[in-house]
Amino acid sequence: MSAATHTGKRWIQHWDPEDTEFWENGGRKVANRNLWFSIFAEHIGFSIWTLWSVLVLFMGPEYGLSPADKFLLVSTPSLVGGLLRIPYTLAVAKFGGRNWTIISAGMLLLPTVLAAIAMEPGTPLWVFMVIAAIGGVGGGNFASSMTNINSFFPERLKGTALGLNAGGGNLGVAAIQVVGLIVISTAGASAPQIIFYIYLPLIVVAMTCAALFMDNIADVKKEGNAMREVLKDKHSYVMSFLYIGTFGSFIGYSFAFGLVLQNQFDRSPLQAAQVTFIGALLGSVIRPVGGWLADKLGGAKVTLWTFLGMAVGTVLCIVASNGDSLALFMTGFIGLFVFSGIGNGSTYKMIPALFRTKALAAVAEGEAREAAMPRARRLSGALIGIAGAVGALGGLFINLAFRSAFTSTGSGVPAFVAFLVFYGLCFLTTWAVYLRGPIVRTTEERKAALAGAGI
């Protein structure tokens, strides 16, 4: 396309998706191409990140691990994946989105090969935990992918584009759980190595596709201290808190669902595997819908109602656990996946809207658009990384809460009560910061609130 020139290393020197002519004369095609191959690489990353949510279903009594050990094991990649999201976000600016996608996909080979070697009865718990920690690199892929794709799309399409990118990546959770189900139901619980034979070639394919079909944006590489600058904005902390409630819930429940079913309702590994993937599948598929609704109705409004829906789902899980009703429990738990998926899309829509509103205000006050809009993209990309990192830690908290609840009471009810309180706090925070209207006091706060509401 005429407006963008590439060097031999696939660097796009000029990128302005807000320019309608630029977008229609080739920009859309380039952005969509990068989006689909980013989704594929991120999808594989999510599968490897949540690999241990499947492998624990293969760990029978011969492995010598207690339920508490297994909850601790699945918590480990969640923690590491969350912590890695900050450096992965910065890596896009340092190396370029395409280049880092190749590198980060290649890093998935190490935990997969190590797990294939160690997955045998008699392996000590600490060895499993070390390998699971290395598998946390798959969680970092999400932050770099979202930061990269955020730079490719105009504001009016970010909600849908980020929703597709994240939703396609999240599907990696359901995909590997389906693979685990197929392996358990056909080859039995003693053949987890088949999973590795499937995913090792897919990792290589993801690397190859990124190398052949993706691009780097030079403006992103020129990012200065966006991460440091965005931390000065109080809305960075608000959005990170809200993302704990949405994405943290999704990934935490994805890791824990099978173990909770086994311990709360005494399900066998096969019985748990038969339904574990449903929640992650629905939560992933509906995430783009959350982005689309946010584009149409406003991010804060959609986010507010998703927290209410998650609270209702949590109440159903509490009632079902106390009444030993598997059907009601499944309804409530799957509801948690669905509403967290919608909330994932809507909260990420709010982030670029915040900074675009501030950039437009700066342009109205005399700042050059050529400086204001790229800065907004860099800052929103930085916050996407920060919020993604903090939000992913919610997965750790959920699994530790379940571990504590089952160890102390033999039931998940205390954990669900804690989650209910937290969703109430998220609901109130969303309303108070972004939807109170006249109560918001300063001019800057009003601009940020309107942006968060998608107005």
Side-chain angles (χ1 to χ4, degrees):
M1 66 193 186
S2 60
T5 58
H6 293 67
T7 69
K9 295 182 179 180
R10 298 189 69 96
W11 285 97
I12 298 177
Q13 301 302 320
H14 170 72
W15 188 257
D16 186 8
E18 301 296 343
D19 183 331
T20 303
E21 182 178 357
F22 176 93
W23 182 252
E24 296 300 333
N25 292 333
R28 182 195 302 273
K29 181 179 179 180
V30 172
N32 285 333
R33 170 163 47 79
N34 279 270
L35 170 63
W36 294 117
F37 288 105
S38 174
I39 288 174
F40 179 53
E42 185 193 349
H43 176 96
I44 303 302
F46 261 96
S47 293
I48 302 306
W49 189 26
T50 53
L51 172 66
W52 289 92
S53 71
V54 175
L55 293 184
V56 292
L57 300 179
F58 288 84
M59 294 177 169
E62 67 274 15
Y63 281 81
L65 301 181
S66 68
D69 291 335
K70 293 179 181 179
F71 275 115
L72 186 61
L73 182 57
V74 298
S75 299
T76 304
S78 181
L79 170 62
V80 176
L83 294 177
L84 285 178
R85 287 186 167 191
I86 297 296
Y88 268 59
T89 298
L90 296 172
V92 173
K94 184 173 181 60
F95 298 102
R98 165 193 175 267
N99 295 349
W100 184 249
T101 301
I102 299 169
I103 296 169
S104 60
M107 291 169 64
L108 300 174
L109 291 169
L110 179 60
T112 309
V113 170
L114 291 176
I117 296 171
M119 194 63 189
E120 295 286 347
T123 301
L125 174 62
W126 71 266
V127 174
F128 285 134
M129 290 188 64
V130 169
I131 299 173
I134 298 172
V137 297
N141 286 18
F142 173 83
S144 55
S145 179
M146 293 293 278
T147 300
N148 184 40
I149 293 305
N150 176 67
S151 298
F152 274 97
F153 284 83
E155 174 62 32
R156 67 185 184 280
L157 299 176
K158 283 185 189 292
T160 302
L162 293 176
L164 285 170
N165 190 59
N170 290 172
L171 277 172
V173 181
I176 199 165
Q177 290 174 346
V178 169
V179 170
L181 167 61
I182 294 173
V183 173
I184 289 178
S185 60
T186 56
S190 61
Q193 283 75 15
I194 295 175
I195 297 175
F196 309 120
Y197 299 149
I198 293 172
Y199 273 91
L200 284 170
L202 288 176
I203 294 171
V204 175
V205 172
M207 294 172 59
T208 303
C209 288
L212 294 177
F213 303 114
M214 292 185 69
D215 302 285
N216 304 302
I217 297 178
D219 282 344
V220 174
K221 184 172 173 37
K222 294 173 184 175
E223 174 183 355
N225 296 315
M227 189 76 71
R228 188 178 305 169
E229 183 178 348
V230 82
L231 287 174
K232 298 176 183 178
D233 192 320
K234 71 176 184 179
H235 292 279
S236 297
Y237 301 92
V238 176
M239 293 307 306
S240 297
F241 175 73
L242 297 181
Y243 204 57
I244 293 175
T246 55
F247 181 77
S249 295
F250 171 82
I251 199 63
Y253 294 141
S254 295
F255 276 108
F257 195 12
L259 288 175
V260 171
L261 286 175
Q262 285 185 287
N263 288 277
Q264 186 71 54
F265 293 95
D266 196 26
R267 300 289 96 178
S268 69
L270 178 57
Q271 289 172 324
Q274 286 173 337
V275 296
T276 297
F277 73 94
I278 297 175
L281 175 62
L282 294 178
S284 301
V285 169
I286 207 167
R287 180 164 184 160
V289 176
W292 177 80
L293 286 173
D295 283 339
K296 300 297 181 181
L297 305 176
K301 294 175 184 177
V302 176
T303 300
L304 184 77
W305 288 104
T306 59
F307 284 127
L308 180 61
M310 293 170 71
V312 172
T314 306
V315 170
L316 291 180
C317 288
I318 293 172
V319 173
S321 297
N322 288 327
D324 198 30
S325 172
L326 179 59
L328 184 61
F329 184 85
M330 287 293 296
T331 300
F333 215 112
I334 290 175
L336 287 170
F337 275 109
V338 170
F339 284 109
S340 66
I342 294 173
N344 286 339
S346 62
T347 49
Y348 259 27
K349 161 63 180 178
M350 293 168 68
I351 291 173
L354 283 166
F355 293 104
R356 182 172 186 271
T357 298
K358 292 183 177 183
L360 291 176
V363 170
E365 293 172 1
E367 183 176 352
R369 182 183 180 89
E370 292 75 12
M373 301 312 292
R375 184 179 67 250
R377 289 198 298 271
R378 292 194 296 270
L379 291 177
S380 60
L383 181 51
I384 281 174
I386 293 171
V390 176
L393 295 178
L396 169 69
F397 301 147
I398 281 177
N399 282 278
L400 292 181
F402 278 130
R403 181 177 186 269
S404 176
F406 281 109
T407 300
S408 59
T409 68
S411 169
V413 170
F416 283 117
V417 171
F419 303 154
L420 181 61
V421 173
F422 182 73
Y423 296 144
L425 291 174
C426 290
F427 180 94
L428 292 175
T429 300
T430 304
W431 172 81
V433 177
Y434 298 114
L435 292 172
R436 285 186 301 168
I439 299 179
V440 180
R441 291 179 288 277
T442 70
T443 300
E444 190 65 24
E445 287 175 333
R446 280 199 300 275
K447 292 174 183 176
L450 290 174
I455 297 174

